[in-house]
Amino acid sequence: MDQKWVDIGAPKKDGKYQPCGRKSAKGSKRKYPKCVPLAKATRMSSSQKASAVRRKRAAGNPGGKPTNVSTFTKRKKMSMGGLV
């Protein structure tokens, strides 16, 4: 079953998402796209989307190849510090 992939970094004003990729509209140059399946995009909170887009753009595009960035960050454990 094919999934519809959308760019969570470029939401439309009506709350919908643009299709994945940069050249969906003629001559339109959007920023570096972060694409996820539509089902996952609808389940993500706005802060999760912002974090994923921020990490994707920070990774840049070295060598002209797309860079994969995990959609969700792993939580860091407090191994040291905290209340004893």
Side-chain angles (χ1 to χ4, degrees):
M1 186 166 107
D2 284 342
Q3 298 176 352
K4 182 178 178 185
W5 285 71
V6 294
D7 181 4
I8 59 173
K12 292 182 179 177
K13 287 190 168 81
D14 59 2
K16 294 183 180 173
Y17 299 101
Q18 298 186 34
C20 186
R22 279 184 153 160
K23 296 177 181 140
S24 59
K26 248 197 268 182
S28 163
K29 281 292 217 176
R30 298 196 308 247
K31 291 187 178 186
Y32 205 52
K34 171 64 178 159
C35 299
V36 295
L38 181 61
K40 183 181 280 191
T42 55
R43 289 193 311 262
M44 292 172 74
S45 70
S46 57
S47 62
Q48 286 174 326
K49 291 175 202 168
S51 172
V53 170
R54 194 168 42 245
R55 283 182 286 111
K56 174 79 172 190
R57 292 190 180 149
N61 193 9
K65 288 190 282 188
T67 307
N68 287 334
V69 174
S70 64
T71 303
F72 300 105
T73 57
K74 302 282 185 241
R75 290 189 179 264
K76 292 187 176 119
K77 294 181 182 175
M78 280 187 59
S79 58
M80 300 298 268
L83 297 173
V84 177

